[in-house]
Amino acid sequence: MSDLFNVVILGSGCAGNTAAIYAARANLKPLVLEGHEPGGQLSITTEVENFPGFPEGILGPGLVQNMKQQAERFGATFRHGRAVHSDLSNRPFTLELEDGEKIQTLTLIIATGASARWLNLPNEQKLIGHGVSSCATCDGFFFRGKKIMVIGGGDSAMEEANFLSRFGSEVTVVHRSETFRASKIMLDRARKNQKIQFLPNTVVKDVYDVTKGEVTGVQLHNVLTKEIYDREVDGFFVAIGHIPNTKAFAGQLDLDPDGYIITHGGARTNISGVFHAGDVQDRIYRQAITASGAGCMAAIEAERFLEAEGH
Ligand code: NDP
C-alpha cells in the first residue's frame, strides 16, 4: 500500500515553498517533492532586492532556504526528486517517483515552474550569476552604466531590452533571424529607444570570460556575411522563451499550446483537487513575489477543498 497524503506539492521554488508554509500551518502535513532544482529559479540568482521585507536585499538561495525552514517548522516534509508520471483520472491521485515508488494524495499542487530556455553555449552555464542572466527584473540593476546584450526576437527580448535601457550605457539586441516575432507595439517601442541597437541575422557562438569569472565579451556570427567577431559586453541576458515543466501531466491537464497550465479560476485546474501555483501557469509576471502569492492561493484552495469533503 503506498503512502497517502492530504497535499503533495510538486516544486520547491517560491510557489511550492509558500504553498508548503500555508498547507503545513493548516495542519495538512504536506509533502514537497523538490524537483531537480531545489529552490527553483531563485537558487541560481544572486541578490534579490525586490522581495518585500528585505530592505538590504537577500541572496536568492538564502531566501528560498528560509521559506523551506519556515515550512518545515510547521510540519512540511521535503523530499528530493520529482514525479515522472501522474494518474489524475481517479482520486486519490497517484504519482510515480523517479525511483519507481508510488505515492497517493487527496490534493495536488503543481508548482513545477518554467525553466528558462538557454542557448547552450560552451561557457553560458558557468557564467550564470556572473553576467549571464535570464531575468532582467532580477539582475538589471547590477548593470548600471554597463554594456548589456539581450538575445532573442520575441516580446520577452523587447521587454527586457527596454527595461535594461534604464540601467545600461547601451543595450544591444542580438537576434538570429531577419524578422522579429515580437508584437509590433513592443518592437516599435524598442526601436524608438535611443539606447537600444539591433543586430539581426546574428548568432552568439560563445560568451567570455570563464577564467576571469565574469562576462567580458561575446563571439558573434553574422549568418548573412559569415563574419565572426568579438564584442565587449558586461551583461548577457538570454530571452528566448521559457519551457513550463508540465510533461508529467500532458494529456490530463488542460495546457495551452506552449505547455502552460490553463487556469480554471483562482488556483484551479480542469481537474478538481489539482491546483496550480507560479510560473507553471504564469507566463506574464514570473516574479518571486507573484509565485509566492500563487502558492498561498493554491494552499488555501486545497485546504478549503479538503474541508468541503469533510477531511
Ligand atoms: P517567443 O517564443 O515569442 O520568442 C522567442 C524568441 O527567441 C524568438 O525570436 C526566437 O527566434 C528566439 N529563439 C528561440 N530559440 C532560440 C535559440 N536557440 N537561439 C537564438 N534565438 C532563439 O518567446 P517570448 O519569451 O519572447 O514570449 C513568449 C510569450 O509570452 C509570447 O506569447 C509573448 O507574446 C508573451 N509575452 C508577452 C509579454 C507582454 O505582453 N508584456 C512580455 C513577454 C512575453 P526566431 O524568431 O528566429 O524563432
Side-chain angles (χ1 to χ4, degrees):
M1 197 52 189
S2 52
D3 288 336
L4 175 64
F5 294 88
N6 297 310
V7 186
V8 169
I9 298 164
L10 301 179
S12 56
C14 292
N17 280 345
T18 307
I21 293 168
Y22 274 78
R25 285 195 81 248
N27 212 19
L28 293 173
K29 300 187 171 41
L31 171 72
V32 181
L33 286 176
E34 291 187 291
H36 279 181
E37 286 173 21
Q41 293 186 51
L42 273 195
S43 65
I44 55 162
T45 56
T46 49
E47 196 90 27
V48 178
E49 294 180 324
N50 53 9
F51 200 94
F54 299 94
E56 307 301 327
I58 182 168
L59 289 173
L63 179 58
V64 275
Q65 185 59 28
N66 287 351
M67 291 183 192
K68 178 178 174 177
Q69 281 171 8
Q70 199 172 344
E72 283 175 328
R73 190 179 135 215
F74 297 112
T77 309
F78 285 71
R79 253 179 88 162
H80 198 65
R82 63 193 175 107
V84 284
H85 295 294
S86 61
D87 180 359
L88 309 181
S89 58
N90 290 302
R91 290 187 62 234
F93 306 120
T94 304
L95 300 169
E96 187 182 331
L97 312 185
E98 283 160 307
D99 59 7
E101 188 189 341
K102 288 189 176 164
I103 57 173
Q104 293 198 302
T105 184
L106 296 172
T107 62
L108 181 64
I109 294 177
I110 300 175
T112 46
S115 305
R117 189 176 278 138
W118 294 101
L119 291 162
N120 296 322
L121 307 172
N123 289 327
E124 187 176 46
Q125 295 295 309
K126 291 176 208 147
L127 290 168
I128 289 175
H130 303 281
V132 170
S133 171
S134 61
C135 177
T137 320
C138 318
D139 298 326
F141 188 76
F142 304 114
F143 297 93
R144 205 171 270 281
K146 303 269 173 103
K147 290 182 180 149
I148 297 175
M149 188 165 274
V150 176
I151 317 304
D155 281 339
S156 293
M158 298 312 125
E159 191 170 68
E160 305 256 288
N162 271 312
F163 180 77
L164 290 164
S165 70
R166 295 186 208 168
F167 306 104
S169 56
E170 59 176 53
V171 178
T172 307
V173 175
V174 172
H175 179 37
R176 65 180 176 185
S177 312
E178 173 73 33
T179 53
F180 287 81
R181 216 185 280 197
S183 54
K184 189 177 177 313
I185 185 166
M186 306 269 284
L187 185 58
D188 285 349
R189 197 175 297 151
R191 284 206 161 116
K192 279 187 198 136
N193 186 320
Q194 305 227 317
K195 272 197 188 171
I196 299 177
Q197 47 176 291
F198 289 86
L199 289 179
N201 302 304
T202 301
V203 169
V204 185
K205 291 189 79 85
D206 206 358
V207 53
Y208 308 123
D209 183 338
V210 171
T211 49
K212 290 206 175 105
E214 63 181 15
V215 170
T216 57
V218 291
Q219 187 178 61
L220 301 176
H221 176 207
N222 183 315
V223 293
L224 295 183
T225 64
K226 310 286 179 222
E227 186 190 1
I228 293 177
Y229 59 101
D230 287 344
R231 194 164 164 140
E232 282 180 16
V233 291
D234 306 296
F236 183 81
F237 287 81
V238 180
I240 59 170
H242 282 76
I243 305 167
N245 300 314
T246 49
K247 237 192 218 154
F249 322 105
Q252 304 186 76
L253 282 185
D254 282 354
L255 306 177
D256 77 8
D258 294 325
Y260 286 89
I261 295 177
I262 295 173
T263 186
H264 283 248
R268 293 183 292 281
T269 68
N270 59 305
I271 299 177
S272 264
V274 180
F275 305 95
H276 57 71
D279 289 13
V280 73
Q281 181 271 323
D282 165 29
R283 62 159 76 217
I284 302 291
Y285 302 105
R286 301 196 304 239
Q287 298 301 299
I289 188 66
T290 50
S292 275
C296 161
M297 288 165 63
I300 290 176
E301 296 226 20
E303 182 193 347
R304 290 183 182 164
F305 179 87
L306 289 169
E307 200 173 37
E309 284 194 329
H311 291 287

